[in-house]
Amino acid sequence: MKKIAVIVAGGTGVRMGTELPKQFLLLKNKPLLYYTIDTFLKTYEDLDIVLVLPEAYTDMGQEIIDAYFDKDRVRLTIGGATRFESVKNGLQLIEEEAIIFVHDAVRCLVSSGLIRRCYEQAVETGSAIPVVPSSDSVRLLTEDGSDALERDKIVLVQTPQVFHSKILIPAFSIGQKEKFTDEASVVEAFGMKVSLVEGEKNNIKITHPLDLAVAAQLLT
């Protein structure tokens, strides 16, 4: 079955404290975005990418594609004001039945093993959501203060979140809600169950300057 990765790089990187969006910051002399695209394309030779970028940075994204990759395997589209809108814009370019990966561009340390594991689970069950256990104690904020939660019952969600197109594309036809922080929440709101798979601790999301330093060490 066709494999398509929607790589979402629509953010502006406010928390990173830089004018340049974090997906374009250099890591070992290459943009973060390079590592993400490279891993997906090398994992499956029959996988294509839909890259979702802020409108002001599509030219920069195209330069990265032209410099490093087979441009026939990567298509560009413009992101929206929210993650939901950005993913929806990417999905609009998919017209064939496929297994669809949705991945944060700034999770640039994603491994081929995790990509394959998610794909195999999605083929079997229709979805695959990578998660890792929480290593910290967690609390739920309430009107009266906060309540402790059982850490053993808490998992942290990663990407790629992977779905059969017959599940994901119809799910994004529903109206956007503030609670939609990822694709799993959209699919669940559509009335479908999702399957969890084991994620990876190294599959970090580059959000703050410290994350960039950690990623450099992990690549080394």
Side-chain angles (χ1 to χ4, degrees), residues 33-44 47 49 69 108-113 115:
L33 190 55
Y34 161 82
Y35 297 98
T36 307
I37 295 173
D38 187 57
T39 301
F40 272 92
L41 292 181
K42 286 181 176 177
T43 300
Y44 289 114
L47 179 145
I49 287 175
F69 304 111
C108 56
L109 301 182
V110 62
S111 72
S112 289
I115 293 170

Side-chain angles (χ1 to χ4, degrees), residues 20-63:
L20 188 66
K22 54 193 174 183
Q23 55 269 30
F24 297 108
L25 296 178
L26 294 183
L27 178 62
K28 297 290 185 180
N29 297 316
K30 291 180 180 176
L32 289 181
L33 190 55
Y34 161 82
Y35 297 98
T36 307
I37 295 173
D38 187 57
T39 301
F40 272 92
L41 292 181
K42 286 181 176 177
T43 300
Y44 289 114
E45 293 183 355
D46 60 343
L47 179 145
D48 291 336
I49 287 175
V50 174
L51 180 60
V52 186
L53 292 173
E55 185 171 8
Y57 292 92
T58 53
D59 288 346
M60 187 176 293
Q62 189 64 57
E63 289 175 3

Side-chain angles (χ1 to χ4, degrees), residues 86-161:
S86 292
V87 174
K88 189 170 185 177
N89 287 354
L91 294 177
Q92 288 175 351
L93 296 185
I94 302 175
E95 299 177 346
E96 58 200 302
E97 187 173 322
I99 295 295
I100 301 173
F101 303 76
V102 181
H103 187 67
D104 299 321
V106 292
R107 289 189 186 271
C108 56
L109 301 182
V110 62
S111 72
S112 289
L114 179 58
I115 293 170
R116 291 183 182 277
R117 191 157 63 247
C118 289
Y119 172 77
E120 291 164 4
Q121 179 74 17
V123 169
E124 181 179 344
T125 66
S127 64
I129 312 299
V131 298
V132 294
S134 173
S135 57
D136 298 318
S137 295
V138 291
R139 300 186 69 87
L140 177 67
L141 298 180
T142 67
E143 292 183 359
D144 300 323
S146 64
D147 294 329
L149 299 178
E150 294 184 52
R151 184 172 62 186
D152 292 344
K153 295 184 178 180
I154 300 294
V155 291
L156 307 179
V157 179
Q158 301 181 332
T159 66
Q161 297 190 9

Side-chain angles (χ1 to χ4, degrees), residues 169-186:
I169 292 177
F172 268 80
S173 65
I174 64 179
Q176 179 181 348
K177 295 183 175 66
E178 290 184 2
K179 68 178 182 179
F180 293 159
T181 58
D182 66 356
E183 293 66 55
S185 57
V186 177

